[in-house]
Amino acid sequence: IVRAVEERFFSKLDGDVSFSKIHFRPFNAIVIRDLAIVDKNPQIPSEAAMEHFREEHGPDYEYVPYDTLMRAKYIVAEFSLKGLLKKEGIHLKRALVRDGRVNIVVEQQDTITNLQRIFGMQRSNGEMKEPGGDVFDLKDAQLKNMVYSMQIIRDKHPHYKDGINWCDLYVSDIYAHAKNVKMSKGIMSGRLDHLSFREKSGLKVDDISGNAAVGRGQAMVEDLHVADSLSDVNLRYFSLSFKKPKDFRDFNEKIQLDGKLLPSTASTSTVAYFVPSLSNMDLQINVDGEIHGTVDSFDLRSINLSTTDGSFGTTVYGNVSGITADRFRNMGAMVKTFVGMEKET
């Protein structure tokens, strides 16, 4: 049975798989303890990339590659006999992963991730394959006490002194519950009932929920709710549309954004993790409206803004263009001028 599990799930990986124990309950469940998937060929940065690492972390910085793609203390997967006998895909009733970590590395020049390489998910030209048919379906999924890290290895990348460092993410205390998760005909979809986590920058999210679908040139989330201790945001929908996966390398120019924001409350203290120049403001803002376009040129449709204390309010229409990544992260000065409020320092 163990050999059959290894053959079906692990035999084609470009990595070494180990576990301390695997237990099979006939026609019911598989339990795996101390699973580890180790990269056989972890990425080593170029000297140019190392120079950027040393600028950020100091001259004595030594890069230690992430050789472990995934580890988990405990995994249980429950299945039905009907699902086990299906010839195509993996069909599970329930899955739980506890006390684990996933390390994603976007490798040199953004061409591929360690996940794609280890699982053979890329074509010869480096683009990601879109699997056809029924790949898997999962009725109920839970993550408990997980960690997710993502590191981008580039010869050049932005410096993030404040807020979230998108080139070096570290997300811990992840708890999630999702239902009806499936991947079929190149589209992955499901319902997220709850997600909470904290990021090393200090951002702590208490709850995210919504219906999501990703594939065939679009990522769509409907009925999205995001809340932390200061903000409560609701979107009827938000989508990212693209022609090719490699368009994400030119995110600002090539990715189409569309969203409808329902009446929500956002704190500048929360937004400052994404726009660090807002960090010395202390505002609670009521907001709703629609946005359509790309980051470097988007339309605002009936964006209603007001402070919760009633001291400021306006409705914004029009087109915004020329917003580079640096300008976006430093747009706090514009907001301060527009709103005319800044907390004392």
Side-chain angles (χ1 to χ4, degrees), residues 138-156:
L138 176 56
K139 300 299 182 185
D140 188 278
Q142 293 186 65
L143 301 177
K144 294 185 178 182
N145 192 34
M146 297 291 292
V147 171
Y148 170 82
S149 71
M150 184 188 74
Q151 189 173 66
I152 299 177
I153 298 177
R154 293 174 175 165
D155 287 350
K156 296 181 179 180

Side-chain angles (χ1 to χ4, degrees), residues 41-57:
N41 301 290
Q43 177 76 40
I44 303 298
S46 68
E47 185 55 35
M50 283 300 301
E51 286 298 318
H52 283 273
F53 281 125
R54 293 187 188 108
E55 287 179 15
E56 288 192 3
H57 302 289

